[in-house]
DNA sequence: CGTTCGATGCACT
DNA sequence: GTGCATCGAACGT
């Protein structure tokens, strides 16, 4: 079952928690890939210094101010695409960053895409649990790019679905990889999962 | 085990 | 011109 727009039109922390165990599905021309979400981070409002809306509306962060249930994809460090699911009411900038998946469908296609990264030339094949570990890696494995920015997640090629997967034990901790706003414990992970990013898993 | 650092593109000031 | 919501290798314990 594809998650409806009302799933996203709720407080962002509730959406973040409930996205754990849901399945991100991308139906590309080259094939379908899917993975269960095991790590997310919430970015909430202009008062959150780590949120892209912290300095007010701009051209780049416009999707954050738009309707819930859409993708906000942006390029970071000039190398990595990052995918968020927009939450809350229109006009309230907030989103959930998808940080890691447990790969379920289309692993050969994921592996092919990961191997195409220039810095992986001549490197061994990517293992299953490293495939979608980290926000940049999962976008590359799934084929998610800037072209998918603002795409509706409730229908079409890119959706998030409920397949009745048990979420596992959820742990809240500090968001990682940011220089401000680290005081908030807005990162939700599946405890002990091998695909969770960061040190020591 | 830990820390440091280069690659790389673009929005923002 | 500056600074990233990263990745992975290199090098030091």
């Amino acid at each position: 079952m594809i998650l409806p727009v009302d799933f996203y039109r709720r407080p962002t922390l509730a959406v973040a928690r409930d996205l754990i165990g849901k399945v991100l599905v991308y139906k590309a021309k080259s094939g379908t890939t899917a993975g269960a979400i095991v790590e997310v981070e919430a970015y909430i409002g202009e008062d959150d210094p780590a949120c892209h809306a912290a300095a007010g509306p701009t051209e780049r962060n416009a999707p954050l101010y738009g309707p819930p249930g859409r993708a906000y994809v942006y390029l970071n460090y000039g190398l990595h695409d990052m995918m968020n699911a927009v939450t809350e009411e229109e006009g309230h900038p907030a989103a959930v960053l998808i940080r890691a998946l447990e790969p379920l469908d289309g692993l050969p296609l994921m592996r092919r895409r990961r191997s195409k990264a220039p810095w992986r030339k001549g490197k061994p094949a990517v293992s299953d649990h490293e495939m979608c570990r980290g926000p940049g890696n999962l976008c590359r494995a799934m084929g998610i790019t800037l072209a998918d920015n603002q795409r509706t997640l409730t229908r079409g090629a890119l959706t998030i679905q409920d397949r009745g997967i048990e979420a596992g034990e959820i742990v809240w901790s500090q968001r990682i990889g940011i220089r401000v706003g680290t005081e908030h414990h807005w990162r939700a992970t599946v405890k002990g999962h091998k695909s969770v990013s960061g040190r020591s898993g």
Side-chain angles (χ1 to χ4, degrees):
Chain A
M1 172 205 119
I2 295 175
L3 298 177
V5 68
D6 284 347
F7 176 92
Y8 301 96
R9 193 188 288 110
R10 294 186 295 149
T12 304
L13 292 178
V15 177
R17 177 198 61 214
D18 293 341
L19 277 175
I20 299 290
K22 301 300 188 294
V23 180
L24 184 65
V25 180
Y26 196 94
K27 295 182 181 179
K29 274 207 145 162
S30 46
T32 296
T33 49
I37 298 170
V38 296
E39 177 184 2
V40 297
E41 284 177 357
Y43 290 87
I44 310 174
E46 295 179 345
D47 293 333
D48 174 3
C51 182
H52 281 185
T58 65
E59 189 172 342
R60 180 179 67 154
N61 67 26
L64 290 175
Y65 291 83
R70 294 191 179 217
Y72 168 47
V73 183
Y74 72 97
L75 186 66
N76 200 21
Y77 293 99
L79 295 165
H80 307 291
D81 296 290
M82 306 270 149
M83 184 208 157
N84 300 253
V86 175
T87 61
E88 315 251 355
E89 296 286 348
E90 188 164 355
H92 293 240
V96 175
L97 171 69
I98 313 297
R99 287 193 57 93
L101 310 173
E102 175 181 329
L104 296 177
D105 303 336
L107 267 78
L109 178 53
M110 288 185 183
R111 185 165 284 112
R112 230 174 297 142
R113 289 190 180 122
R114 287 291 311 276
S115 302
K116 278 200 299 188
W119 54 86
R120 291 210 68 89
K121 197 161 67 172
K123 297 278 169 11
V126 182
S127 68
D128 288 3
H129 76 273
E130 288 173 346
M131 190 72 68
C132 300
R133 179 179 181 179
N137 286 335
L138 85 83
C139 282
R140 185 169 287 271
M142 297 284 293
I144 296 167
T145 69
L146 286 175
D148 298 301
N149 192 27
Q150 305 211 56
R151 196 187 272 283
T152 301
L153 298 175
T154 50
R155 57 183 160 78
L158 180 61
T159 58
I160 303 180
Q161 306 181 6
D162 187 347
R163 292 192 187 174
I165 294 174
E166 186 79 34
E169 186 179 349
I170 297 173
V171 179
W172 290 92
S173 57
Q174 288 184 326
R175 297 175 293 182
I176 62 177
I178 53 176
R179 306 186 67 102
V180 291
T182 53
E183 66 273 18
H184 296 122
H185 286 52
W186 288 350
R187 174 173 178 247
T189 59
V190 174
K191 186 177 182 180
H193 199 286
K194 282 160 68 178
S195 290
V196 170
S197 66
R199 303 284 175 204
S200 77

